Amino acid sequence: MRTAIEALAAQAEAQIRDQSWTLTPADRSIAANASASLRTAIGTPHTQEAMPAVERLAHLREALAVLAVALAGVHGRLAWFLGAATTALTPVLHWRALPDDHGPTFGAVLPALEQYTDAEEAIRRLSDTLTRINTA
């Protein structure tokens, strides 16, 4: 996930730098709000790693909800960027932190701890990019 978000971030930053993407004031506001909300959802690496898996997963799902709300309010390049970022993070939706108790899990899987870290780092990178989008 981190690799996918890094590629999206680089593409977005290049489009802003070469002025093929001109941000509206509304885009800037949504980017700023989304960035702050993502930072709130996903704390520092030390904080996240100290949490039990079920709480880490809840925070990752909260970050996806932040992206969905931001995506609902935009059009054009920012929508495409947020949509691609959300898609890159969708494996989180198939994760579970609880045992299956020998029942159906609807395809949910237990991720490795490294996968939590990868997703959290991807979201931090996404937040940084949204901050740069807002200030470009």
Side-chain angles (χ1 to χ4, degrees):
M1 281 181 250
R2 189 174 2 184
T3 302
I5 294 297
E6 187 63 44
L8 290 170
Q11 184 179 2
E13 290 165 355
Q15 288 180 15
I16 291 168
R17 193 173 40 255
D18 70 16
Q19 298 180 348
S20 63
W21 181 2
T22 305
L23 292 127
T24 67
D27 287 345
R28 291 179 190 282
S29 176
I30 289 170
N33 290 336
S35 177
S37 295
L38 288 173
R39 282 286 174 192
T40 299
I42 303 296
T44 66
H46 180 19
T47 302
Q48 290 299 120
E49 291 169 5
M51 292 179 184
V54 70
E55 287 183 40
R56 287 178 83 174
L57 184 54
H59 285 241
L60 288 166
R61 289 176 179 158
E62 181 180 342
L64 281 168
V66 165
L67 291 173
V69 169
L71 180 58
V74 295
H75 302 284
R77 289 186 195 263
L78 184 56
W80 304 334
F81 173 72
L82 292 173
T86 303
T87 298
L89 295 166
T90 57
V92 169
L93 298 175
H94 301 285
W95 293 354
R96 62 182 171 84
L98 301 174
D100 65 9
D101 293 330
H102 307 293
T105 63
F106 305 99
V109 297
L110 288 169
L113 290 177
E114 296 82 21
Q115 289 175 288
Y116 284 107
T117 301
D118 182 59
E120 292 159 354
E121 286 299 318
I123 292 167
R124 287 185 195 98
R125 175 62 169 110
L126 182 58
S127 176
D128 290 345
T129 301
L130 289 167
T131 296
R132 280 194 284 286
I133 284 172
N134 179 46
T135 59

